[in-house]
Amino acid sequence: DTGVSQDPRHKITKRGQNVTFRCDPISEHNRLYWYRQTLGQGPEFLTYFQNEAQLEKSRLLSDRFSAERPKGSFSTLEIQRTEQGDSAMYLCASSKSQGGSEKLFFGSGTQLSVL
Amino acid sequence: AQSVTQPDIHITVSEGASLELRCNYSYGATPYLFWYVQSPGQGLQLLLKYFSGDTLVQGIKGFEAEFKRSQSSFNLRKPSVHWSDAAEYFCAVGARTNAGKSTFGDGTTLTVKP
């Protein structure tokens, strides 16, 4: 069990640029979640996958955001035409859904700064 | 709509003293409640969770929490705080089978004085 890993840890970009983050979940986990966390707030749910299917997207997720999980393993979150308001920590979590209670394992996050 | 309120933004306690972090929730069905801890530069780690049964729940690192339905509260406690407990603590409420869609509170930052 190597845990959930996220890459990069930090990303600084200029407004208007596109950025992509990667999340590698724990290998046997079928669910993968993305969150955004701003300073002084808790994580906010953005979207989640069960295997390769994206099952839900939050209303927080504008059209500039897109997420994929092409083979049901790693996932990417892309932000197009970044804005200063996108500056936040982007967290990924994974879990094994077995019909019972679910336990999440979080990565350390990607800190995005938009200048 | 579901929501979580953590009334204390920042708490300072002396090492060895007891700790209680408050959490109030609003949820339309039977709540599934969590406490997570986040250390600087790290992801969230689950301390404990409650769905049903005994209203006093034991977690990792010596933490416990008590569910009080009448008060819509799920307060986290520890009898004796260690310097390594300094971190940010988040309470969350959601559905048992979809913990990932939980609503999180804004967190309480714990500082431990030597």
Side-chain angles (χ1 to χ4, degrees):
Chain A
D1 180 354
T2 56
V4 179
S5 61
Q6 293 188 244
D7 185 69
R9 291 296 302 273
H10 303 275
K11 178 71 177 177
I12 300 173
T13 190
K14 293 182 179 178
R15 189 176 52 187
Q17 298 293 304
N18 299 343
V19 294
T20 300
F21 311 139
R22 177 179 170 124
C23 172
D24 286 89
I26 294 171
S27 59
E28 67 268 25
H29 284 185
N30 59 341
R31 282 190 179 172
L32 186 148
Y33 297 85
W34 285 100
Y35 303 86
R36 180 170 61 197
Q37 184 179 22
T38 53
L39 201 60
Q41 296 194 335
E44 293 175 299
F45 166 79
L46 293 178
T47 188
Y48 89 100
F49 294 83
Q50 182 148 314
N51 301 312
E52 65 275 11
Q54 187 173 18
L55 295 189
E56 188 166 339
K57 293 192 289 188
S58 164
R59 287 172 294 172
L60 295 175
L61 211 61
S62 80
D63 292 343
R64 297 184 296 105
F65 287 68
S66 61
E68 294 183 340
R69 193 182 183 197
K71 295 184 180 179
S73 56
F74 74 92
S75 175
T76 58
L77 178 69
E78 181 182 17
I79 309 175
Q80 296 183 326
R81 305 180 304 280
T82 52
E83 301 172 358
Q84 288 185 324
D86 297 330
S87 295
M89 174 77 82
Y90 291 85
L91 294 169
C92 173
S94 70
S95 70
K96 185 159 56 176
S97 161
Q98 293 177 306
S101 63
E102 185 179 8
K103 180 178 178 180
L104 299 177
F105 293 81
F106 282 83
S108 298
T110 294
Q111 182 67 53
L112 173 66
S113 298
V114 181
L115 304 179
Chain B
Q2 57 199 57
S3 65
V4 174
T5 301
Q6 294 181 246
D8 304 304
I9 296 173
H10 195 174
I11 282 185
T12 299
V13 300
S14 298
E15 191 168 15
S18 64
L19 171 70
E20 183 169 28
L21 302 182
R22 296 182 292 163
C23 171
N24 293 99
Y25 69 90
S26 173
Y27 193 71
T30 302
Y32 194 27
L33 293 154
F34 311 81
W35 275 100
Y36 292 89
V37 60
Q38 186 178 32
S39 298
Q42 298 194 13
L44 281 74
Q45 182 184 20
L46 180 68
L47 287 175
L48 47 79
K49 62 183 187 287
Y50 172 81
F51 178 68
S52 63
D54 192 344
T55 56
L56 186 62
V57 181
Q58 301 298 318
I60 62 171
K61 305 187 180 189
F63 285 93
E64 65 178 27
E66 187 171 13
F67 171 65
K68 293 185 177 179
R69 185 183 299 275
S70 61
Q71 297 177 19
S72 297
S73 70
F74 188 55
N75 294 349
L76 182 72
R77 300 195 293 248
K78 187 170 185 178
S80 177
V81 169
H82 188 261
W83 64 267
S84 61
D85 293 325
E88 190 157 20
Y89 292 80
F90 293 94
C91 180
V93 66
R96 181 174 64 91
T97 56
N98 205 328
K101 288 182 58 186
S102 296
T103 296
F104 288 79
D106 287 338
T108 297
T109 301
L110 174 65
T111 298
V112 181
K113 292 191 303 184

